[in-house]
Amino acid sequence: ILTSLPSTRSSLHPARGHNSIEKARNSLLGCGSSPLIGYVGRLSLEKNLPTLVHAFESVQRLFPEARLLLVGDGPAHNELERLVEAKKLTEAVHFIGNTASPQTYMEARDMMVLCSFTEGLPLVVLEAMSLGRPVGSTTGGGVSEVIAEWGTGLLVAGTNLTSCDNAASPAL
């Protein structure tokens, strides 16, 4: 979902430069000002998270300091961990698991991502937008109705990995 930058990059980094957020990024993740991409939700087949991991591998080639947060748990957890290990991304992908305070991770990230095969209008998208974070998402459902490309986020067609790899990321 994330491989190039728009010309207005500096205006799209709401998570950087705020002391409390920087402290959270350092204390929770040790990532400082590295670009931080986050997913919050159930780790399950219909969420299409392997596509996200594959796309993040391309992001790592362009932005080696970038980090991916996967907040939540579910039946696809072990499969995703194996994929991350196979892609040699273990230093860059953080499995947070279920947490009583997902808000902290939501505030710390630069961008929220969603690669679901099918989705209505997930509350997590609205929460990311309320925090001023751009949302990268596949099209479909209510998500495409609330995301204004390059304003509040970026949409990619379906779950095509090429489409995800070539889409521009306003957050990095």
Side-chain angles (χ1 to χ4, degrees):
I1 291 177
L2 330 148
T3 58
S4 63
L5 302 171
S7 59
T8 58
R9 179 181 179 198
S10 62
S11 65
L12 296 171
H13 283 283
R16 298 190 192 155
H18 294 79
N19 287 338
S20 62
I21 293 173
E22 290 294 328
K23 285 179 185 175
R25 291 167 67 102
N26 281 323
S27 65
L28 291 172
L29 305 164
C31 67
S33 62
S34 296
L36 191 55
I37 302 156
Y39 166 84
V40 176
R42 184 169 155 80
L43 306 184
S44 59
L45 180 63
E46 69 275 4
K47 299 303 183 178
N48 192 30
L49 295 169
T51 296
L52 174 58
V53 172
H54 288 288
F56 184 72
E57 181 181 27
S58 295
V59 170
Q60 274 280 291
R61 287 188 204 113
L62 295 172
F63 303 98
E65 72 282 2
R67 300 291 177 260
L68 174 63
L69 292 181
L70 299 174
V71 180
D73 206 357
H77 183 110
N78 292 338
E79 174 190 342
L80 288 168
E81 278 190 333
R82 287 190 297 274
L83 178 60
V84 166
E85 289 171 11
K87 297 283 183 188
K88 297 181 177 24
L89 294 171
T90 55
E91 295 295 316
V93 178
H94 302 273
F95 287 87
I96 305 303
N98 289 328
T99 177
S101 57
Q103 184 75 17
T104 304
Y105 296 99
M106 293 172 73
E107 290 173 353
R109 68 186 173 197
D110 293 302
M111 179 178 198
M112 184 266 183
V113 290
L114 186 69
C115 293
S116 297
F117 288 120
T118 182
E119 200 68 69
L121 178 56
L123 185 57
V124 71
V125 168
L126 300 176
E127 290 168 336
M129 292 170 66
S130 76
L131 292 168
R133 304 304 186 268
V135 176
S137 178
T138 50
T139 57
V143 177
S144 57
E145 295 175 17
V146 298
I147 292 179
E149 239 174 276
W150 294 109
T152 56
L154 183 66
L155 297 169
V156 295
T159 57
N160 182 309
L161 184 57
T162 303
S163 182
C164 291
D165 285 348
N166 292 326
S169 169
L172 302 180

